[in-house]
Amino acid sequence: MSEPAPTSSNVSRRSFLQVAGAAAATTGMTAASYARVLGANDRIRTSFIGVGGMGTGHLNAIKKLTGPDNLQPVSVADCWQKRAEEGAARVGAENAYQDYRRVLDEEVDYVTIATPEHWHAKMTIDAFDAGKAVYCEKPMTHNIPEAIEVVNKQKETGLALQVGVQGMSDDSYSSAAKAIEDGVLGQVVQAQIEYVRRYGSQGPWRKPGLKDDMPKPEDLDWNAWLGKAPKTDWNPHHYFEWRCYSMYSGGVATDLFIHRITRIMKACNLLYPNRVVGMGGIWQWPDGRNLPDNFEMICEYPRGMTVYVLGTQSNRVGVDHLIRGYRGTLYFTREGWVAKDKDGKVLAEHKKSGAEDIHLHHTNLHNHLRNGEELNCPPELGLAGVVAVNLANESWRSGRMMAWDKDKGEMVSADQIKWDPYPDTDPDAA
């Protein structure tokens, strides 16, 4: 398999504004067109690209949904041929490929992409060009220019893209958005959330027992796995522990925070932040990784609020997931959420339906393709999440506060934009 050309980072202001303004309308058009093609009772043909840890989770989900959702698994692709063949056997797919492009040559309705982050954009765009809808694991892309390019391509083709932030299949966040819109909390000024873990001595994302001299499996195409990443000799740590390296991942921010910040963005109707700070370090596991093992970020949004995300990987004691307003505070719970005033009086509450569940997230896409059901995590929301976490990572790397230049549609140092301490009064501002 030849090395693919890198995605372009040259995105015009006009194309970005087209993305920001039209993504929702495009999603509706996609749903209508798919409904005409598939029909409410027709079988959906699906294939898979990348079947490692998370990819196997998708295989298991689709296996359970094959009957209830009337699916036909067609093929599996993975640069490790053994994995591709085992994945195909798991779901009863006929074909197993080492080159993902062979999947795109087949008659399938959508593909699931569950590869390292540095491949997400290229594979998604290739799938769109081949006429396939996509379920792409989070984050939608490795970086911001790629995310803009993906959303522009989705808009151009009208094909569906479900981003794999499965928490969006929990209606707690859309219902919280309605409550906030109705004034239950008064003026919202702050939110906090976390993704904390306590890893063992091996550290975040390390595979216990993995040896430096583990030989490359003969049927693993290492150059294909690297793709556009810097060329390097076979390294088992890079392959099995890719979340530790910035060439392939954004670490805590892109793998974990994307789950949390997207929830708050949905609940508070947020898109692109004004300014972002990321702080942390390689404090406990200086083992060759180049991404922080403990991290946190704070984002400032145009509506006049901040969002704090805690991400220690050395201690699992978290903080309450909540949104603060002048009139009250909304607390997310295992059952949904409850909003209380300053004296503890309940203002409103919600018992959730749905959950952070991969099966529900796939079924939402199936329903979208068949009858136009709104996607729970459409590409514009995926883009907004990529912007926030990439600004945080760049802040950590550079030691600067980063900002979003909304006119140019790009990340800049915060001292390059005009600072304004007042909320944006534009009703379309997030």
Side-chain angles (χ1 to χ4, degrees):
M1 173 181 168
S2 61
E3 178 185 354
T7 52
S8 170
S9 62
N10 298 319
V11 182
S12 69
R13 176 184 175 188
R14 174 173 293 184
S15 67
F16 176 77
L17 294 177
Q18 288 173 339
V19 168
T26 303
T27 301
M29 292 169 61
T30 302
S33 62
Y34 263 103
R36 287 194 297 271
V37 172
L38 286 171
N41 299 310
D42 289 351
R43 178 167 293 182
I44 292 176
R45 292 167 58 85
T46 185
S47 292
F48 307 84
I49 301 173
V51 287
M54 192 65 204
T56 298
H58 286 285
L59 291 172
N60 291 337
I62 293 300
K63 184 177 182 180
K64 290 183 179 180
L65 293 172
T66 296
D69 283 14
N70 194 16
L71 309 176
Q72 181 182 347
V74 175
S75 57
V76 173
D78 195 284
C79 64
W80 190 352
Q81 183 67 27
K82 174 185 175 182
R83 276 187 173 175
E85 292 172 359
E86 291 174 347
R90 184 181 293 269
V91 292
E94 183 176 350
N95 301 316
Y97 303 120
Q98 198 170 39
D99 186 338
Y100 77 91
R101 293 171 296 189
R102 296 190 64 183
V103 163
L104 304 181
D105 290 336
E106 297 178 321
E107 293 296 325
V108 298
D109 297 300
Y110 85 96
V111 296
T112 295
I113 298 170
T115 64
E117 297 167 24
H118 71 294
W119 266 109
H120 287 185
K122 172 64 176 169
M123 289 175 172
T124 298
I125 289 170
D126 284 351
F128 285 155
D129 283 339
K132 320 302 183 190
V134 175
Y135 182 123
C136 183
E137 260 305 323
K138 52 73 198 168
M140 188 174 75
T141 62
H142 192 204
N143 60 47
I144 295 170
E146 288 177 345
I148 294 172
E149 190 170 3
V150 163
V151 176
N152 277 334
K153 177 62 74 168
Q154 187 276 326
K155 179 174 175 288
E156 173 191 323
T157 62
L159 293 161
L161 171 57
Q162 175 85 302
V163 182
V165 181
Q166 290 87 10
M168 292 298 91
S169 286
D170 177 342
D171 76 338
S172 296
Y173 307 99
S174 57
S175 65
K178 180 64 167 58
I180 291 170
E181 182 182 352
D182 289 344
V184 170
L185 301 185
Q187 181 176 345
V188 170
V189 294
Q190 200 271 345
Q192 67 182 45
I193 200 165
E194 49 75 17
Y195 206 130
V196 297
R197 293 173 170 177
R198 186 185 183 280
Y199 280 88
S201 59
Q202 80 279 0
W205 297 306
R206 292 301 188 188
K207 185 175 181 179
L210 184 65
K211 302 296 185 182
D212 296 349
D213 59 354
M214 174 190 170
K216 182 186 75 66
E218 291 185 2
D219 59 341
L220 192 159
D221 188 337
W222 174 239
N223 286 329
W225 186 89
L226 285 173
K228 67 173 185 176
K231 296 305 178 187
T232 185
D233 292 337
W234 160 253
N235 186 319
H237 297 288
H238 284 215
Y239 180 76
F240 290 103
E241 302 166 343
W242 53 268
R243 290 175 178 85
C244 297
Y245 304 101
S246 61
M247 301 83 80
Y248 324 115
S249 174
V252 171
T254 61
D255 195 71
L256 303 182
F257 282 4
I258 197 74
H259 282 294
R260 299 304 194 234
I261 192 72
T262 305
R263 297 173 188 224
I264 300 299
M265 290 191 301
K266 181 74 171 181
C268 296
N269 192 26
L270 307 173
L271 281 177
Y272 312 108
N274 283 336
R275 304 185 295 179
V276 177
V277 170
M279 301 189 76
I282 305 170
W283 289 336
Q284 189 159 352
W285 293 281
D287 53 10
R289 69 182 66 234
N290 67 354
L291 290 166
D293 52 35
N294 285 272
F295 193 59
E296 52 196 295
M297 73 178 186
I298 186 165
C299 305
E300 172 191 271
Y301 282 91
R303 71 174 292 165
M305 69 173 293
T306 57
V307 179
Y308 169 68
V309 189
L310 170 68
T312 176
Q313 306 303 290
S314 301
N315 184 298
R316 67 172 62 95
V317 177
V319 297
D320 289 337
H321 295 193
L322 57 82
I323 300 169
R324 295 181 172 92
Y326 184 71
R327 184 167 180 258
T329 303
L330 186 148
Y331 301 85
F332 291 103
T333 69
R334 293 183 181 276
E335 292 75 35
W337 56 259
V338 58
K340 300 179 181 180
D341 71 7
K342 62 182 179 61
D343 299 317
K345 177 184 176 181
V346 173
L347 301 173
E349 54 188 330
H350 173 76
K351 300 298 182 184
K352 71 179 182 182
S353 62
E356 182 177 4
D357 185 277
I358 194 172
H359 304 81
L360 294 177
H361 218 50
H362 273 284
T363 294
N364 172 238
L365 175 57
H366 304 156
N367 292 341
H368 172 82
L369 297 180
R370 286 195 170 103
N371 55 45
E373 181 175 294
E374 183 177 353
L375 285 172
N376 288 335
C377 197
E380 189 179 23
L381 191 56
L383 168 60
V386 167
V387 167
V389 296
N390 272 268
L391 264 64
N393 268 345
E394 183 60 26
S395 173
W396 174 72
R397 293 187 191 101
S398 67
R400 297 176 294 170
M401 180 185 294
M402 302 307 295
W404 182 245
D405 187 322
K406 62 183 179 182
D407 293 324
K408 295 180 180 179
E410 65 184 22
M411 172 173 55
V412 298
S413 178
D415 59 8
Q416 295 182 36
I417 65 168
K418 181 181 178 181
W419 179 70
D420 185 348
Y422 299 101
D424 194 328
T425 57
D426 181 348
D428 294 325

